[in-house]
Amino acid sequence: MAKNKNTGGEMSFLDHLEELRWILVRSCAAILIGAVVAFVFSREIFDDIIFAPKRADFITYRIFCDLANKYDLDKSFCVTELPFAVISRTMDGQFSTDIWTAITAGLILAFPFILWQVWKFIAPALYDNERKNAVSFIVFTSLLFFLGVLFGYYLIMPLSINFLANYTISKEVINNVDLDSYLSLIKTTVISCGLVFEMPIIIYFLAKLGLVTASFLRKYRRYALVIILIVAAVVTPPDVVSQMTVTIPLVILYEASILIAARMNKTPKTTE
């Protein structure tokens, strides 16, 4: 149990709720500050980041096109333009998009601070040797999250945009994509990838609680691999290089999770 800062005794349930309330307040404040910063630079964020994968000269398309030409693979990335336009169909569409995008960016920027707040809340329930790992936990978890965001932005998102933009049911249909739909794809992709990259951290806590074991993860490794391959096949063109580019990092994460679970299963519990 956590200690009461005023009395030094164990905190009551209401004290825990009060502490949680202030953690939420501080986290929301951090997100708001990040959102304000993102709103100030919103034009650069939209032109240079959000709409960059919509352009044919985006770095991912150029790299895959070079690989396709070098190894005689699928040439779907070697295009001069992506056949769709982004439109706003409501009067307040661009303003509300600007606000919510700034909030999303604020959440991403404030992620390390939010982690620190969460750690402060759960730290009293940990052993002394575990509390000493606060900095390592925050740095490693934040690093995984930002790597996941970059993975989603530079790989999953352009692969998805290229596939969906070139998928047609008839030449009669023109792709005029709604702004909300385009932004939803980006937000869902980068944030979900950021969370997926937290798999080793999640496995660490699940193994610590005894809910997951290394043997369990090894037993279902083949099923996990099939799911990863299916995901890679859906979001990539039909060539081996593209599919392996998406598959390999996810497989590495899964194998790292097995190693973490094995180490946790062997680690004896110590007292304070």
Side-chain angles (χ1 to χ4, degrees), residues 50 153 157 161 181-191:
I50 293 178
Y153 178 75
M157 195 172 68
I161 289 175
S181 177
Y182 182 82
L183 265 295
S184 177
L185 175 64
I186 293 177
K187 292 176 184 178
T188 302
T189 300
V190 297
I191 292 179

Side-chain angles (χ1 to χ4, degrees), residues 207-234:
K208 182 177 175 60
L209 294 172
L211 299 177
V212 171
T213 63
S215 59
F216 174 84
L217 295 175
R218 292 191 187 99
K219 178 180 178 181
Y220 291 98
R221 177 192 276 127
R222 68 182 65 180
Y223 302 105
L225 180 59
V226 169
I227 293 174
I228 291 173
L229 289 173
I230 291 174
V231 171
V234 169

